[in-house]
Amino acid sequence: MANDKLRIGVVLSGCGVYDGAEIHEAVCTLIAIDRAGAEAVCYAPNVAQAHVIDHTTGQETGETRNVLVESARIARGKITDLAQFQAGDVDALIFPGGFGAAKNLSSFAFQGPDCTVNPDVEKAVRAMVQAGKPIGALCIAPAILAKLLGTEGVELTIGSDAGTAQALETLGAKHRTTTHCEVVVDKAHKVVTAPCYMLDASVAQIADGAANAVDALIGLVRSA
């Protein structure tokens, strides 16, 4: 790219762990990108959320909210419709977790290995793969990469949850068990994953995990 400053796309899935992007993971990712001297470029699909959850009760509210509009809360309004994504605009792409990754970006929360992936998400991932650029995913978001890249034997982690790991392996992915702050780097597929809140973690551990994932992602960019 013309500018020496790396640009890392961050795909958000709403705002709030139970129905959108996990806010701690998203913000820690943005901080890690900035501290690494790179620029975060936020995206989200312009679609309705699967549902809206009252985060004080865990119950559905019956409301309708838009993923792009809600994600803009985290991005402070500086966000682009994922439908406009071009691999040439970024050096790497990363997906923070939260149930939004498994409800809005895909249907993994509802259908497991039989899930579908949002068309704009799939298009972005395929474009990055074709361009030979790295992709990162935190928490449950690696399920998206397992669905799209599992048949290619992509290696990834969601931590240590046996049921979820088995679901990803059903898709053809190779799962590695990890603990706090660890990352799995699949150099062959240029994929970086970290468990984050798939484990019972503190905010500090989330910050360290996100930073390690971003650092590994940047390492893949620079080693290309």
Side-chain angles (χ1 to χ4, degrees), residues 3-223:
N3 192 328
D4 289 336
K5 191 171 188 178
L6 295 181
R7 289 165 55 88
I8 300 179
V10 181
V11 181
L12 301 173
S13 58
C15 183
V17 59
Y18 299 131
D19 57 12
E22 208 301 313
I23 297 172
H24 296 168
E25 291 176 3
V27 173
C28 287
T29 297
L30 295 174
I31 292 171
I33 291 169
D34 189 49
R35 284 183 170 166
E39 178 185 354
V41 185
C42 293
Y43 298 89
N46 186 10
V47 296
Q49 290 185 187
H51 55 209
V52 178
I53 301 294
D54 182 335
H55 280 55
T56 65
T57 65
Q59 301 300 310
E60 291 187 41
T61 67
E63 298 174 61
T64 299
R65 296 190 185 184
N66 179 280
V67 175
L68 178 61
V69 172
E70 292 301 297
S71 298
R73 296 176 182 272
I74 297 173
R76 293 176 61 86
K78 192 175 181 180
I79 193 165
T80 300
D81 185 340
L82 189 60
Q84 300 176 29
F85 179 83
Q86 298 290 329
D89 292 337
V90 299
D91 298 285
L93 191 67
I94 189 167
F95 294 83
F99 275 102
K103 292 179 177 180
N104 303 327
L105 303 187
S106 74
S107 60
F108 184 80
F110 308 115
Q111 297 176 295
D114 295 325
C115 68
T116 59
V117 174
N118 171 275
D120 291 329
V121 172
E122 179 169 4
K123 180 183 175 183
V125 170
R126 300 291 187 199
M128 292 297 285
V129 171
Q130 185 173 7
K133 295 182 177 183
I135 305 169
L138 310 180
C139 193
I140 193 60
I144 297 169
L145 302 184
K147 181 66 178 182
L148 298 178
L149 307 177
T151 56
E152 300 174 21
V154 65
E155 186 174 19
L156 44 73
T157 187
I158 48 79
S160 58
D161 182 81
T164 305
Q166 178 59 49
L168 302 192
E169 290 185 335
T170 297
L171 292 167
K174 299 175 183 177
H175 182 267
R176 280 181 51 190
T177 299
T178 50
T179 188
H180 299 292
C181 308
E182 291 185 329
V183 299
V184 169
V185 180
D186 182 335
K187 292 183 179 179
H189 295 93
K190 296 186 178 180
V191 166
V192 175
T193 52
C196 291
Y197 273 127
M198 282 298 289
L199 303 172
D200 184 10
S202 68
V203 176
Q205 288 170 324
I206 297 305
D208 289 343
N212 291 342
V214 168
D215 286 346
L217 202 61
I218 290 174
L220 288 176
V221 173
R222 290 179 172 160
S223 66

